[in-house]
Amino acid sequence: AMWSMLGERPVDMCHWESFGKGWLGDVQSHLKLENVTEFTAGYGELPDLASTNPDHDIVFTWNGTTSGVCVPNADWISDDRTGLTFNDATSAVFAMDIDWSKVDVTTYSWQKVMGGEGAHGMLILSPRAVERLESYTPEGRALPKIFRMTKKGKLDEALFKGATINTPSMICVEDYLDALQWADSVGGLPGLIARSQANLAEVATAVDKYPWLNFLAKDEASRSSTSVCLTVDMEASKLKEMIAWLEAEDVAYDIGAYRDAPDGLRIWCGATVEAEDVALLMEWLAFAYEKFSK
């Protein structure tokens, strides 16, 4: 979407973790856009999003998957904006309340909150985004076939009705349809959000209980309910040993912080996870901390 639409006007790039920073790199190094303003903050914090310009295109991640920090709402996005908002909602859709009137270009992943197959994603366009596609062609920018969303100057609607460029696995599609049926069975979107919030609540209970455990997110309002990131008062080498031990004991897999993030834990608390399992993990963390902090 960025390759097809950015460049028509100045761009505000907002990032506070590694994936958002990657989008900035794409815009500067590959698209080579010049009129770019960077809004950034360190891990655990949000930049001043209200300072973005509604006449610019704005690119941001709804949920920082590697920092555990999400935007608490879309109040900072103007209803009267003339630019487009590009929203990477990979680990937010189906677990967070997104104001769809404020986002023009949204992507998300099958594999995250719904637990579907990796390597598959969705693109959601507002009418304003479609207008941009049909009215703006980036000068001198070659687009690979897989990036092209228009045909003869109009939106290629076949892409949004099941047409494929290459042949993906239809089993993956059936798996995702099954996931959507499961979502209906647990109460639809409100039920999914409630499940993720219940998981976050179990972690918050543990953080309140154990003085050595803390959220990486500085502000409670911006704590992610899916990619929950924690810091542990423990030497990095000991923490690494503890994480490896938990995996060897089949307690928890891949719960170490992302490689670019501060040392700590990253616990997936999306809607497919049961709150009682998160509660059990918190007990295991307490046991492991006593074992490895000595």
Side-chain angles (χ1 to χ4, degrees):
M2 294 196 306
W3 266 252
S4 298
M5 287 183 264
L6 287 184
E8 189 262 356
R9 63 182 62 221
V11 182
D12 290 349
M13 298 293 301
C14 308
H15 68 90
W16 50 93
E17 50 90 56
S18 57
F19 289 109
K21 188 175 182 180
W23 299 135
L24 173 68
D26 286 342
V27 165
Q28 292 179 325
S29 302
H30 298 286
L31 295 181
K32 300 186 184 303
L33 301 184
E34 295 181 353
N35 201 343
V36 176
T37 303
E38 182 180 1
F39 294 83
T40 186
Y43 277 84
E45 299 178 305
L46 281 175
D48 183 10
L49 298 173
S51 295
T52 54
N53 191 326
D55 294 325
H56 294 181
D57 288 336
I58 301 171
V59 181
F60 71 101
T61 51
W62 194 281
N63 180 69
T65 308
T66 66
S67 69
V69 175
C70 64
V71 294
N73 54 58
D75 294 349
W76 54 279
I77 300 174
S78 173
D79 290 326
D80 300 319
R81 65 191 180 280
T82 58
L84 299 179
T85 54
F86 292 71
N87 166 33
D88 174 2
T90 297
S91 54
V93 169
F94 291 121
M96 299 178 190
D97 188 13
I98 295 176
D99 184 347
W100 293 99
S101 70
K102 297 293 187 78
V103 290
D104 297 301
V105 181
T106 300
T107 60
Y108 74 90
S109 167
W110 289 5
Q111 79 186 75
K112 294 297 183 183
V113 178
M114 298 294 282
E117 289 290 333
H120 295 276
M122 305 296 288
L123 175 65
I124 303 171
L125 303 178
S126 74
R128 298 176 68 252
V130 173
E131 181 183 9
R132 171 74 64 85
L133 276 172
E134 295 182 341
S135 64
Y136 171 69
T137 301
E139 185 177 352
R141 186 183 301 166
L143 288 178
K145 184 178 181 180
I146 196 170
F147 285 2
R148 298 172 200 162
M149 291 186 283
T150 59
K151 184 178 290 186
K152 297 180 180 180
K154 294 293 182 180
L155 179 71
D156 186 359
E157 294 188 11
L159 296 174
F160 297 86
K161 295 180 179 178
T164 59
I165 297 173
N166 296 312
T167 305
S169 167
M170 293 295 105
I171 293 178
C172 292
V173 177
E174 287 298 322
D175 176 77
Y176 192 58
L177 291 173
D178 187 63
L180 289 171
Q181 291 174 358
W182 170 80
D184 277 340
S185 75
V186 297
L189 180 59
L192 295 172
I193 292 175
R195 288 174 63 89
S196 185
Q197 287 291 331
N199 293 334
L200 174 61
E202 292 293 348
V203 179
T205 297
V207 170
D208 289 340
K209 182 177 180 180
Y210 305 122
W212 45 267
L213 190 64
N214 295 282
F215 284 103
L216 181 58
K218 303 293 192 298
D219 183 1
E220 182 178 352
S222 63
R223 287 178 190 167
S224 170
S225 64
T226 56
S227 54
V228 180
C229 295
L230 304 167
T231 60
V232 182
D233 294 339
M234 179 184 284
E235 293 181 9
S237 59
K238 291 288 188 179
L239 178 60
K240 188 175 181 180
E241 289 178 19
M242 186 182 87
I243 293 169
W245 181 80
L246 288 167
E247 183 162 333
E249 293 293 319
D250 294 327
V251 173
Y253 298 96
D254 192 26
I255 63 167
Y258 191 72
R259 58 179 176 269
D260 296 331
D263 293 326
L265 304 173
R266 184 171 62 147
I267 300 170
W268 182 249
C269 288
T272 55
V273 177
E274 302 293 339
E276 53 263 37
D277 290 335
V278 179
L280 286 172
L281 174 59
M282 295 302 104
E283 293 180 18
W284 273 98
L285 285 183
F287 177 79
Y289 178 83
E290 292 301 319
K291 177 180 177 67
F292 286 91
S293 63
K294 296 177 181 179

